[in-house]
Coordinates of all heavy atoms in Angstrom, one line a residue:
V85 N 7.2 -9.9 -3.7 CA 7.1 -9.5 -5.1 C 6.8 -8.1 -5.3 O 6.1 -7.5 -4.5 CB 6.2 -10.5 -6.0 CG1 6.7 -11.8 -5.8 CG2 4.9 -10.3 -5.6
C94 N 7.5 4.3 -22.0 CA 6.8 5.6 -21.7 C 7.7 6.6 -21.0 O 8.8 6.4 -20.5 CB 5.5 5.3 -20.9 SG 6.0 4.9 -19.1
F122 N 0.6 -21.2 -6.5 CA 1.7 -21.0 -7.2 C 1.7 -19.7 -8.1 O 0.5 -19.5 -8.7 CB 2.2 -22.3 -8.0 CG 2.5 -23.5 -7.2 CD1 1.4 -24.3 -6.9 CD2 3.7 -23.6 -6.5 CE1 1.7 -25.4 -6.0 CE2 4.0 -24.7 -5.9 CZ 3.0 -25.7 -5.5
C141 N 6.1 -10.9 5.0 CA 6.4 -10.4 3.7 C 5.1 -9.8 3.1 O 5.1 -9.0 2.3 CB 6.9 -11.5 2.8 SG 8.7 -11.8 3.1
G150 N 3.5 3.7 1.3 CA 3.6 4.9 2.3 C 5.1 5.4 2.4 O 5.4 6.5 2.4
I168 N -2.7 11.8 6.8 CA -4.2 11.7 6.9 C -4.6 10.2 6.5 O -4.4 9.9 5.3 CB -5.0 12.8 6.1 CG1 -4.4 14.0 6.5 CG2 -6.4 12.6 6.3 CD1 -5.1 15.2 5.6
T242 N -10.7 14.8 2.6 CA -9.4 14.8 3.0 C -8.5 15.6 2.1 O -7.4 16.1 2.5 CB -8.8 13.4 3.3 OG1 -9.2 12.6 2.1 CG2 -9.6 12.7 4.5
V247 N -4.9 20.6 1.4 CA -4.5 21.9 0.8 C -4.9 23.0 1.8 O -4.1 23.9 1.9 CB -5.3 22.2 -0.5 CG1 -5.2 23.5 -0.9 CG2 -5.0 21.0 -1.5
M322 N -14.5 -11.8 3.7 CA -14.7 -10.6 2.7 C -16.1 -10.1 3.0 O -16.1 -8.8 3.1 CB -14.5 -11.0 1.4 CG -13.2 -11.2 0.9 SD -12.0 -9.8 1.1 CE -12.7 -8.7 -0.2

Side-chain angles (χ1 to χ4, degrees):
V85 302
C94 70
F122 294 91
C141 285
I168 305 177
T242 52
V247 172
M322 285 299 287

